[in-house]
């Protein structure tokens, strides 16, 4: 195991022990992950929603394979120095074979993955339902058994508050998954008042999805990061914000270019090229180039 991988995982555990919730921007590629780190965020995340869209131009409806998510995760980990969490969907396999998922993600250097009980149809009007709590608990138990680094986090996600609109069922499921060995639990669409109740029962860190509040028609009352922090969230995941921001800004630039036919019309919306090259490390390349292009010293 890489010393860097181990150090990142220990760093994430220290962040989770802090008094304030950890805010995780959802990176959609290596560049957005680097920008999150440069902006001062202590950790980041990559999820299937953004990976499907940015990598394949597809919806997040179960189309990505294990290798698709592992490859995206590896690129983000290699591009940054901060801890990264990743989306392992429903584990991709049943309990006897989930070791392959854990082994593949561990090798990327990611600090942990979440595994969900959703059977498919996320982000659509016709969700397929939920895996039984027993089968999901077996997946979590198998994932914990499969890891080689005890600091690699196995995070159990329940979508009961989202799919079944039942916060109490969600909390019950999370308790079952904790009993199976989950290091953290993730509860999308869990309202802040339900999270406050859950904190009295759940003995591990809890992650909530703040970005779900941005979705039109969401059943979750509007909450702020402060609301979730007061309710006891340890991690607030902003899985949509970055790819949503990129899509809005690029669309605006393209619309202006098409209607005005003038690059000057979008100048204020575009990062200065020299500044962008600075972000990408062109100066370091020039320094290396000068070093190796220098004439050899005379003997």
């Amino acid at each position: 195991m890489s010393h860097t991988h181990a150090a990142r995982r220990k760093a994430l555990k220290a962040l989770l022990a802090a008094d304030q919730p950890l805010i995780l921007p959802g990176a959609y590629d290596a560049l957005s992950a680097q920008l999150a780190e440069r902006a001062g965020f202590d950790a980041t995340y990559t999820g299937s929603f953004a990976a499907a869209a940015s990598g394949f131009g597809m919806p997040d409806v179960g189309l990505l394979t294990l290798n698709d998510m592992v490859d995206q995760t590896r690129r983000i980990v290699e591009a940054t120095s901060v801890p990264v969490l990743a989306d392992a969907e429903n584990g991709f396999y049943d309990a006897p074979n989930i070791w392959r998922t854990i082994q593949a993600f561990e090798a990327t250097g990611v600090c942990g993955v979440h595994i969900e009980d959703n059977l498919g149809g996320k982000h659509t009007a016709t969700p397929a339902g939920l895996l039984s709590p027993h089968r999901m608990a077996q997946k979590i138990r198998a994932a914990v058994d499969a890891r080689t680094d005890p600091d690699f986090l196995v995070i159990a996600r329940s979508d009961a508050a989202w799919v079944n609109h039942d916060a109490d069922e969600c909390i019950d499921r999370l308790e079952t998954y904790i009993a199976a060995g989950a290091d953290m639990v993730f509860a999308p669409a869990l309202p802040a008042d339900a999270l406050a109740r859950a904190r009295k029962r759940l003995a591990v860190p809890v992650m909530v999805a703040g970005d779900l509040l941005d979705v039109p028609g969401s059943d979750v009352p509007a909450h702020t990061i402060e609301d979730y922090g007061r309710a006891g969230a340890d991690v607030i995941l902003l899985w949509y914000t970055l790819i949503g921001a990129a899509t809005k800004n690029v669309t605006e630039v393209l619309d202006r270019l098409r209607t005005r036919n003038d690059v000057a019309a979008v100048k204020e919306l575009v990062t200065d090229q020299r500044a962008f090259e600075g972000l990408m490390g062109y100066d370091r390349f020039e320094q290396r180039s000068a070093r190796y292009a220098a004439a050899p010293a005379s003997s």
Side-chain angles (χ1 to χ4, degrees), residues 48-49 60 87 114 116-118 120-127 129-130 157-170 186-191 209 212 215 217-220 239:
S48 61
F49 185 95
D60 181 24
D87 181 357
H114 64 74
E116 67 196 39
D117 55 15
N118 197 314
K122 292 180 297 183
H123 311 290
T124 72
T126 54
L130 301 176
R157 165 177 164 169
S158 177
D159 282 3
W162 180 1
V163 174
N164 294 341
H165 310 292
D166 191 332
D168 291 327
E169 179 193 356
C170 180
F186 178 21
L190 191 68
L212 193 62
V215 178
S218 170
D219 294 326
V220 182
W239 55 269

Side-chain angles (χ1 to χ4, degrees), residues 2-9 11-12 15 24-46 71-86 108-111 242 279-280 284:
S2 165
H3 172 72
T4 302
H5 295 175
R8 285 205 222 195
R9 289 168 187 159
L12 179 60
L15 290 169
L24 283 186
Y28 54 88
D29 63 3
L31 175 58
S32 59
Q34 287 181 336
L35 293 176
E37 180 177 1
R38 286 178 175 272
F41 287 91
D42 295 318
T44 191
Y45 166 84
T46 181
D71 289 346
Q72 180 79 331
T73 299
R74 181 181 296 107
R75 284 189 288 268
I76 286 173
V77 170
E78 291 176 351
T80 59
S81 63
V82 297
V84 181
L85 290 178
T108 69
V110 75
C111 294
L242 297 193
L279 292 173
M280 293 294 97
R284 294 191 295 276

Side-chain angles (χ1 to χ4, degrees), residues 4-287:
T4 302
H5 295 175
R8 285 205 222 195
R9 289 168 187 159
K10 291 185 183 301
L12 179 60
K13 286 198 167 183
L15 290 169
L16 293 174
D19 292 335
Q20 297 299 316
L22 178 65
I23 310 301
L24 283 186
Y28 54 88
D29 63 3
L31 175 58
S32 59
Q34 287 181 336
L35 293 176
E37 180 177 1
R38 286 178 175 272
F41 287 91
D42 295 318
T44 191
Y45 166 84
T46 181
S48 61
F49 185 95
S54 64
F56 301 90
M58 293 180 177
D60 181 24
V61 290
L63 293 166
L64 299 192
T65 67
L66 170 62
N67 287 341
D68 291 337
M69 281 306 303
V70 166
D71 289 346
Q72 180 79 331
T73 299
R74 181 181 296 107
R75 284 189 288 268
I76 286 173
V77 170
E78 291 176 351
T80 59
S81 63
V82 297
V84 181
L85 290 178
D87 181 357
E89 297 278 59
N90 61 7
F92 297 99
Y93 305 103
D94 283 334
N97 290 328
I98 208 167
W99 61 268
R100 184 167 185 264
T101 297
I102 300 303
Q103 182 182 76
F105 275 104
E106 257 196 302
T108 69
V110 75
C111 294
V113 295
H114 64 74
I115 299 169
E116 67 196 39
D117 55 15
N118 197 314
L119 289 174
K122 292 180 297 183
H123 311 290
T124 72
T126 54
L130 301 176
L131 195 66
S132 74
H134 172 72
R135 287 188 64 194
M136 176 65 179
Q138 292 292 70
K139 285 192 177 189
I140 296 302
R141 188 159 68 89
V144 171
D145 289 345
R147 67 184 171 190
T148 60
D149 181 356
D151 288 326
F152 180 88
L153 299 180
V154 174
I155 305 165
R157 165 177 164 169
S158 177
D159 282 3
W162 180 1
V163 174
N164 294 341
H165 310 292
D166 191 332
D168 291 327
E169 179 193 356
C170 180
I171 297 168
D172 289 343
R173 282 173 170 265
L174 295 178
E175 274 199 310
T176 299
Y177 306 157
I178 291 169
D183 303 295
M184 184 190 301
V185 289
F186 178 21
L190 191 68
D193 60 343
L195 173 61
R197 296 199 314 271
R199 284 293 2 165
K200 299 175 182 178
R201 294 170 52 185
L202 305 180
V204 299
V206 179
M207 179 160 65
V208 295
D211 274 337
L212 193 62
L213 308 181
D214 298 338
V215 178
S218 170
D219 294 326
V220 182
H223 296 310
T224 65
I225 287 175
E226 290 75 15
D227 291 334
Y228 273 129
R230 284 192 295 269
D234 298 282
V235 181
I236 299 174
L237 176 60
L238 306 179
W239 55 269
Y240 177 70
T241 297
L242 297 193
I243 196 165
T247 301
K248 181 176 182 179
N249 196 64
V250 170
T251 298
E252 184 173 353
V253 167
L254 292 170
D255 286 345
R256 288 195 191 185
L257 286 174
R258 181 177 55 80
T259 57
R260 303 185 193 181
N261 201 31
D262 185 1
V263 174
V266 300
K267 185 175 181 179
E268 75 277 12
L269 297 176
V270 178
T271 301
D272 176 80
Q273 181 183 339
R274 292 298 182 190
F276 183 82
E277 290 172 355
L279 292 173
M280 293 294 97
Y282 282 83
D283 56 339
R284 294 191 295 276
F285 167 78
E286 290 175 353
Q287 291 166 8

